Every structure is written in C-alpha cells, then in structure tokens.
Amino acid sequence: MKKIALSLSLITASLLAESVIEINPISVTATGVAENVLEQPLSIATKKEDEIKLDQVVFQKDLLNSLSGVRIEQTGSVIGHMTSIRMPINTGPYYLFMQDGIPVQSSGFFNHNGLAYTTFQTATSVEVLKGAGTALYGSDAVAAVVNVQSAKKPSKTKEVSLKVMGGSNGYGSSTLEMSDTIDDKSSYRANVSYMHSDGWREHSKADRGEANLRYDSELSSDTDLKVIFNASKTVAEQADSFSNYQYIEDGSTLASDDPAYYQALQKTDVRRKFDYARLSAEFTNYSYNDLEMTFTPYIRYNRNRYVATWTKNLASNDNELYTLGFLQKNTYDASWGRIIGGFDAEYTKSSLLYNQDFTAVVTGWGGGTYPAGPIWDYDVDYMAIAPYVRAEYDVTKQLMFVVGLRYDYNRYDYDNKLLDNSYYTLASGTKKYYRPADRTDSFDHLSPKLSLSFKPTQDMEIYARYANGFRIPQASRLYSMQAGYENVILDPETSNTYEIGIKKEFNKKTSVELSAYYMTIDDTITRYTNSVTGDYYYANGGSTIHQGIEAEVRAQLTKEWATKVAYSYSKHNYDNDPTYGDNEMQQAPRTLANVRLFYMPSYLHGLTVMGEWQYTSKWWMDDAHTVEEYKGYSIGNLKVDYIVNKQLSLFGKVTNITDERYAVMARYAYGSDSYTPGDPRQFYAGFTYKW
C-alpha cells in the first residue's frame, strides 16, 4: 500500500517548467563571474528561487537534497546537520560552506553544522561545485564548495511581503521582507524571519531567527558598491539516537532509549546554540577597459555552544570566533580568453573553553569520576593568506584550456590558558586529557588546477578536469588532545580530483549533465579508538579513494509538465589503511536518487504541484564491517504552490507521504548500534501576501 500511495503521489504531482525548471542555469561560484553552467568545464549543481520557493525550506536538507550527489541529513540537534558530497557522511572539514561568495567559517575552525550559520531558510539560490574547488578556493574545498545566496538584487519599485507558515508539531514561521530604491543610484532589500518548532520527538524543540540586508549603490560611473549583512541565531534542543532499532520501527517519539540520557537532562543544558553575523562591503571598479577589479572586506562573528552528549561525562564546549577578512579579485577579458587573479586573507581570534560543568561519575568503558573544572581552555590566533591565478585560453572557437594555481599559507598561534603540558585527571589519578604548551603551527600548500573543454556544437560541451585540493588540521585536532597521544603530529590532507563530463542541451527544452570522477585523499586524518581504554585519537592514516558517476536531467515535457532527475552512484574505500585495509567506508550509500515531476494545469492558472521521490541505498554501519549493512530508505513528498493573484499566494506540502519508518544515520560504534530516526509524515501550509 505504501508503494501504491507513493506512485500515486508522483503520478498526480507536478509544475510548469518555465517557472521552476531552468534549462540554462547560471552560476557564479566557480569563477565569481556569472556563466552558463552548461559552458563550465566542471560539475556544478544549482537551484534557483522558484524551485526553492516550492520546496518551502524548513531544514538544510530541503534546500539541497534534490541536487545530484548531494545528501544532507539533520542530526539530533534538529538544525544540526551532516553532509555527504563525493564523500561518506561525516564531520570532517571536506566542504567549504559560503554565503554570497564569502566563507561562513575560517578553515582552521570547521564546524560540520556550518550551513546553520547561513540564512538557508530565506535563501534565494544555492550552488554546489563538486570536487576540489577552482583556484579561487583553498583549504576545505576538497569534496565540494556550497554557496548559499541570501537577499537578491533590490527591486526598482517598493515591495513589501509577509510569509507565514505553520505545520505539524507546533511548527510556525514568519518572514517579513521589504525592498525599494533610495534614490536613482541606490536601493536596498531587507528581511527578517523567525521559526519555532516543538519537534516531533521529545527534546527536539528549536527556535531560530534570520536577518538579511543588502544595499546596492552606484558610487560613480565606474564603481559599484554592494553591502550585505547576514545574521542568524539558533537555540535547538538535542535528542539522542536509538540503540535498539525497534524504536525506529515503532515510530517512537522518545528522545532516547538510554536511561543515562534522561539523567543527563537533569544535570546540564544539552541545547545547541549557534550565533552568526557577517558584514561585507563589495567594491567593484570598471575604470580600465576589459578589467574588473573587486575588493571585499568583511567582518564575521561565530559562536558555537553545546554539550558533548556523545561523551559520558557530558562536558560543555564554547567556541567563539571573531574574523577580519579581505577578498581581492581581478578579472581581465581578452580576445584570446580570460585571466582571473587575486588573493584571499583572513585573521581570526578564537577562544575555546571545554569544561566539566559538574562532577560526573561514569561507569563502564572509559569510566571514572570526572571532577568539575576546565578540561581545555585556550586561545588561537589564526592567519591565512592565499594568492591565486586562473587563466582561460581559447585555443580555437571550440577548444578551451584552463589552468589555475593557488598558494595557501595558514598559521596558528596557540595560547594555553591552563598549566602548560598539564593533564586533566580523573579522581583516581588517571590522566585523561592533555594541555599542550604554547606553540605556533604553520602549513602551506600549492594547488594546481587544469581543465580542457571541447564544444563540438553550441549546445554541447565535453570536458576533462584535474584539481588538487587540501585541508589543514583543525585547531581542535591540534590542541584538544587525549592523554597518551601527546606526540601525535598531524599533517594536512591532500586530494586529487580527476573528472570527465558531458553537458548537452536539446531544443531549449531538455538538458543533460553526466560526469564521472575519481578522487584520492592522502594522509587522511582518521579517528581511531583504543580497544582497551575506549579513548579515541586522530592520526594521519593511509589514503582513501572516492569514485562515482553523477547525472542530472532537466526536461520540459509539455507546456504543463516538466521533470528533473538527479542520480549518483559512488564507492568510497580506504586504501591500505593500517586498521581498515581496503574496506568500503561506513555511512556511504552507493546510490542516491531524486526524481521530481512538475505540473501546472492550463485550466487553473497559477497552480503548481510537485511530486518528489527520494532514494538512498544501503550502507556499511562501521569501517571494520563487523555488523550488517543498514538497508537505506525511500520516501515521497508532495508540494503545492498557488498564486491566487498579484498579492496573495498559498502553499503547502506533505513530507514522507507514506509515513516510512527509517533511520537517516545508522552506525556501529563503541560496541553498540546508533540510529538517528528520520522524520515521520509532516504537514505544512502557509501564505505569502505582497503589497
């Protein structure tokens, strides 16, 4: 019956192609210059405003999971998430998260929940550059660059809109937006939003606010200014995972099946809190013929607070960062091609307090009495500077050669606030955590990029690409050390991406993109667990190999019907790892698929309906392959938008139509299973009013 219901939802769903499906999408992420995606020699997926509007974004997964090879899963902290793009789902810094072309966090302080810093709930577009980034991007741009666009260009006439949305489990949100011209040379767009949800499980309540402001001004005949301010604040409770899969199958709304979790609620505040703000000013100058110069200074604030619920002693973490950054880019267009060059620079002041807020008595593996007090308390000053150049040479009208080179220098100045070379010890005297003495660490890397593009016809491109990438060890990996591993030295990971692809457009009604990639990552920073003490540590292991194919089809079938299909098949393996050998990596489903069918009936102008099917195949639950694979999952969604008139729009959606019981993350660790349940069937509806 569930399969029948899912099939019916897809058959009866759809939307008008012209208002949602873009056959010729435009992207700016690869080069910073607006270009047709079908003409770029790399794999980049986009989603624009009309499709995002139909998705009615509540979580990060709503914004991104319809793109080929992209998988976002929400964690127990609701707005927290993990990402899988050409990699298994994990917490490592393999992704560069950006908003409006500016990173939302410094490379040395990666947070896997980084999309929570963006104003994703009010995003107007999103782009994902897959594989190592172009010469414009450095550390963390290993598997993908994700760029979320905030406020779009201001309107020429006054616009005011109010969007209100309600849904299951006490969900409610509202967004107020205004745009207008100030004078004949300047204009603005601003919006604020607030969201509250009680959550479908115990202890999964969330509150979130977002704000965006964009100011555009023509300072002179050859100089433009764009000022952008983004801010978001999230307070989200954290539910636990289940160790017994029966709770998943029963659709349990409990926060955990572990009594220790409920005891933890009595002792500490397990809510996760994200604070973010960024102000940037982009100056673009056209004084010289064929040369565009852009200068973008920015300031940024990040704060991440949480209780480490995955540790039995329930320590709290408070990491606060202040960043001053500067991006400088020059684009020169010549008769033979284009040169893009410039540099990026950042300076970040970071403080971290990892504290045992109360005396904790822990039994079992890694047990003991943890006395109240600081575990780690340190500051880190971080500096990064990176000059780069990218040259595009038109060998012939059909053949283009692209070469890029980027040099990154990264430096940490670490200042320990506790006794140098000291230990946090248990009541028994057992050394547990280590506080290194003050020190400086620096890393540098030269990243070459090459690609070749052949266009036999105006509507077809064949390309081959090589891109080198890297990621530096994180500050927390370098200075938050376990006792017994004081002498572990971490080196940067390096990656090499090899990719071939073909892009083809058919009669302005259908486009097809196919790509195949092979990516190696050397000196992989891997988490290992001591089988005797239960302690974990990080060390450079061997290599990992990531390979797969990705496909995306966009088609306007008739005037009323359209479809979009995203598919990927991948394999992720260790390569001669000292512990895991050549095993396939955990939490890495081989197949991802997203099928969307759109319809806008001619007999009811303004109505848009979409049926969606999402499929995730089975995956290994641990790297050692000691337990069976998890089965994966398949769900269907139905989304509707109806433009009543110029002022009023109505919309709604049903997610997980068949009320499938499944886990979005399933792993085996520390001797037990861990399952994060997927959302049950949810209903949402709302309206937008403009005046």
Side-chain angles (χ1 to χ4, degrees), residues 575-588:
D575 182 24
N576 197 29
D577 184 84
T579 299
Y580 304 121
D582 296 331
N583 281 2
E584 193 165 351
M585 301 175 75
Q586 64 165 303
Q587 300 197 88

Side-chain angles (χ1 to χ4, degrees), residues 229-271:
F229 173 75
N230 311 121
S232 64
K233 184 176 182 62
T234 304
V235 178
E237 296 179 346
Q238 295 188 81
D240 195 16
S241 57
F242 292 123
S243 60
N244 185 345
Y245 195 72
Q246 190 63 46
Y247 282 80
I248 301 284
E249 294 180 331
D250 293 342
S252 174
T253 60
L254 293 176
S256 176
D257 58 353
D258 183 0
Y261 171 83
Y262 291 96
Q263 295 174 11
L265 293 180
Q266 308 303 316
K267 298 177 181 179
T268 188
D269 179 4
V270 299
R271 294 179 298 171

Side-chain angles (χ1 to χ4, degrees), residues 194 231 324 552 598 665:
Y194 174 75
L324 177 63
E552 183 168 291
F598 305 94
M665 282 178 280

Side-chain angles (χ1 to χ4, degrees), residues 426-440:
L426 305 186
S428 62
T430 301
K431 296 177 180 178
K432 190 66 177 177
Y433 305 107
Y434 177 62
R435 296 87 169 244
D438 298 353
R439 73 179 201 229
T440 297

